[in-house]
Amino acid sequence: MLAIVSPGQGAQKPGFLAPWLDLPGVRESLQRLSDAAEVDLIRHGTASDAETIKDTAVAQPLLVAAGILTADALAGGEGFARDGRADLLAGHSVGEVTTAALAGVLSAEDAMRLVGVRSRAMAEAAAATPTGMAAVVGGQRDEVMEAIRRNDLQPANINSSGQVVAAGPTERIAALVAEPPTRARVMPLQVAGAFHTDFMASARTALSEFAPSLTPSDPPSDRPLISNAGGEIVTDGARYLELIVSQVASPVDWEACMRVFAEKEVTGILELAPAGTLTGLAKRELKGVALMNLNTPEDLDAARAFVQEHAGATRSESGQEI
């Protein structure tokens, strides 16, 4: 059984889209996606530096476009929503917008319109108050959550059994860094604000006002979506769009998504470009599951073989223990 996953903000790297533009039709597709998002993704994906693409209003459209383009290339350039193969689809944070396009819940252009609104609204919300985020790695979960609450912070991302991201006012992040929970490390993240918390309420309002302009479709019955909202299995397009809107100011529970992968006996996880973050979490949490990173066109042949091996397969068929 194959899960295809899309990374969230922070995964972007300078120039990571450059090799993809050598493929036929990709530059033209990226221009159409740029126009929909109102961002110059060709420049930002090939020439902009790390500081420029760290900007929320740039990073989010760049990541969604990257996922759409690389998934389409994986499907032979015919469009993943129509011809791609996967048993489950999931995205981390803004990766859920990518997933909406891959599942056909939204057209590629509408997904880019949505992420354009999302990214600009989140950037504006972040600018309103000095806030930040920090990854808490290790420690006991109860003690970690208590330390986050004690410092008037919120758990924004529950990424794995050993990693929770705290978010809130910058001075409270500094206090958590200074006095971490027992046997835990606290690492400040280079992000502009406290995403997936109450500080993003205005961004959620902006998205809720924009969402009625979209007409979501249901994903194929054999390609359910796994939501960041507690790992909910979603087969209704309108419900998935509703969850994308609320997710902006609600925690991302990727640990729950991985539990669903385990329960569904996923045998392989393929992460779309820029890949590595989510397969890295899976490597620690989902022992025995095969992993594949699709980062450059040179990875396509191996990725297609990976899809062929795992799509529709059971653990016994793939030789994995059950």
Side-chain angles (χ1 to χ4, degrees):
M1 177 171 281
L2 174 69
I4 292 183
V5 298
S6 305
Q9 192 168 342
Q12 70 278 0
K13 301 174 180 66
F16 78 99
L17 280 183
W20 292 96
L21 295 185
D22 293 332
L23 296 183
V26 169
R27 182 177 292 272
E28 292 76 14
S29 294
L30 188 54
Q31 185 60 59
R32 287 194 297 273
L33 300 181
S34 295
D35 293 343
E38 301 179 23
V39 179
D40 186 351
L41 299 175
I42 293 177
R43 175 168 63 88
H44 291 312
T46 61
S48 294
D49 60 18
E51 189 64 25
T52 300
I53 64 173
K54 186 176 74 175
D55 180 352
T56 299
V58 173
Q60 292 188 13
L62 194 57
L63 289 164
V64 174
I68 292 170
L69 292 175
T70 55
D72 285 353
L74 181 65
E78 300 301 321
F80 187 89
R82 183 173 65 251
D83 295 324
R85 297 178 61 198
D87 300 299
L88 298 171
L89 291 167
H92 186 285
S93 186
V94 73
E96 291 205 301
V97 182
T98 313
T99 298
L102 302 189
V105 170
L106 297 175
S107 69
E109 288 76 13
D110 276 353
M112 295 307 299
R113 290 174 58 222
L114 174 61
V115 76
V117 172
R118 183 188 194 272
S119 61
R120 290 187 290 271
M122 291 179 75
E124 290 172 6
T129 306
T131 57
M133 304 175 80
V136 185
V137 180
Q140 295 294 319
R141 176 60 60 84
D142 290 348
E143 294 179 11
V144 168
M145 299 301 273
E146 173 56 31
I148 290 172
R149 287 190 291 269
R150 187 170 62 248
N151 282 283
D152 295 323
L153 298 168
Q154 299 175 47
N157 297 347
I158 303 171
N159 284 334
S160 69
S161 60
Q163 184 186 121
V164 176
V165 174
T170 51
E171 70 274 11
R172 302 314 306 162
I173 292 288
L176 182 64
V177 171
E179 294 188 24
T182 304
R183 297 183 297 281
R185 293 177 294 130
V186 181
M187 298 174 289
L189 302 179
Q190 296 302 308
V191 296
F195 303 138
H196 305 296
T197 70
D198 296 342
F199 290 94
M200 293 292 113
S202 63
R204 180 173 55 194
T205 298
L207 269 188
S208 66
E209 292 173 349
F210 174 76
S213 71
L214 304 172
T215 305
S217 300
D218 293 339
S221 59
D222 60 350
R223 194 187 293 177
L225 312 180
I226 312 304
S227 169
N228 291 174
E232 180 179 335
I233 299 173
V234 185
T235 58
D236 178 272
R239 171 61 176 163
Y240 195 64
L241 181 58
E242 175 187 325
L243 290 170
I244 286 176
V245 170
S246 62
Q247 172 236 76
V248 170
S250 302
V252 166
D253 192 346
W254 189 253
E255 183 184 17
C257 293
M258 290 195 290
R259 280 199 301 269
V260 174
F261 296 162
E263 291 165 2
K264 295 294 184 180
E265 298 190 350
V266 163
T267 62
I269 297 174
L270 186 152
E271 184 174 358
L272 299 171
T277 301
L278 302 180
T279 51
L281 293 171
K283 184 177 182 179
R284 293 185 287 272
E285 298 288 307
L286 299 171
K287 301 298 185 184
V289 173
L291 306 171
M292 176 75 206
N293 291 331
L294 177 55
N295 275 314
T296 74
E298 292 183 352
D299 299 324
L300 281 170
D301 286 345
R304 288 170 183 147
F306 188 89
V307 171
Q308 184 69 27
E309 177 182 358
H310 292 283
T314 65
R315 289 193 181 180
S316 59
E317 289 170 343
S318 66
Q320 295 181 0
E321 293 183 0
I322 54 177

